[in-house]
């Protein structure tokens, strides 16, 4: 056994790295069921996110979304939302529902049917996805370069 040790000595660092990587792989394999459990618990059993159309959204966030919409899409979205601010008639009632209203105006979804929501889903979904991706890239540029 001691004779083998002298032959393994030049490769000791590589052997230690291989063992460390095996531990990392084992931890990742053991974490996978926990991740799947969270996906099932939050995404499936609790309903997850029904659609990409928010009931209420801050004006600043809506303006970011508008940057990534065509003029027709922007018109379609604005037709289904109402801008609520301090000058709105039901400001006190809306303030109870949306506390963020005290800091900035918000857009509130009008009562629309499922066909209208189905029409808005791809428009809002794409814009939300782009804005979210840009925000993540700004927050951590190293991850953005890896993609």
């Amino acid at each position: 056994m001691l004779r083998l040790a002298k032959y393994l000595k030049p490769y000791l660092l590589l052997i230690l790295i291989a063992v460390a990587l095996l531990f990392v792989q084992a931890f990742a394999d053991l974490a996978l069921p926990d991740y799947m459990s969270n996906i099932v618990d939050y995404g499936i059993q609790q309903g997850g996110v029904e659609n990409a159309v928010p009931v209420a959204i801050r004006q600043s966030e809506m303006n970011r979304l508008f940057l990534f919409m065509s003029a027709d899409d922007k018109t379609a979205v604005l037709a289904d939302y109402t801008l609520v601010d301090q000058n709105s008639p039901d400001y006190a009632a809306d303030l109870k529902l949306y506390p963020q209203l005290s800091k900035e105006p918000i857009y509130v979804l009008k009562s629309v049917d499922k066909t209208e929501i189905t029409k808005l889903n791809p428009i809002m979904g794409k814009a939300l996805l782009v804005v979210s991706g840009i925000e993540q890239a700004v927050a951590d540029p190293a991850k953005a370069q890896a993609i």
Side-chain angles (χ1 to χ4, degrees), residues 1 3 8 13 26 29 37 49-50 60 66 72 78 80 83-85 89 92 103 108 113 117 120 124 139-140:
M1 187 70 168
R3 286 185 189 176
L8 293 177
L13 179 64
D29 288 342
S37 170
V49 177
E50 279 187 43
S60 60
F66 288 153
D72 294 336
L78 284 174
D80 292 330
L83 181 63
V84 178
D85 58 7
K103 297 177 185 166
V108 178
D113 58 354
I117 289 185
L120 289 177
M124 296 292 284
D140 192 359

Side-chain angles (χ1 to χ4, degrees), residues 28-46:
D29 288 342
L30 292 173
L32 186 61
D34 186 45
Y35 294 142
M36 288 300 295
S37 170
N38 288 337
I39 290 170
V40 170
D41 288 348
Y42 299 116
I44 297 172
Q45 288 180 348
Q46 295 178 4

Side-chain angles (χ1 to χ4, degrees), residues 47-115:
V49 177
E50 279 187 43
N51 54 53
V53 182
V55 175
I57 185 169
R58 292 178 290 172
Q59 185 181 21
S60 60
E61 287 298 314
M62 186 67 94
N63 290 339
R64 288 182 188 172
L65 297 179
F66 288 153
L67 293 173
F68 302 101
M69 293 182 193
S70 67
D72 294 336
D73 291 345
K74 182 178 175 181
T75 304
V77 169
L78 284 174
D80 292 330
Y81 279 91
T82 304
L83 181 63
V84 178
D85 58 7
Q86 293 178 347
N87 301 326
S88 298
D90 294 330
Y91 177 75
D94 289 335
L95 186 60
K96 289 180 183 176
L97 287 173
Y98 311 109
Q100 187 67 28
L101 184 58
S102 65
K103 297 177 185 166
E104 68 176 306
I106 61 171
Y107 281 96
V108 178
L109 184 66
K110 298 175 183 175
S111 26
V112 293
D113 58 354
K114 287 191 176 202
T115 57

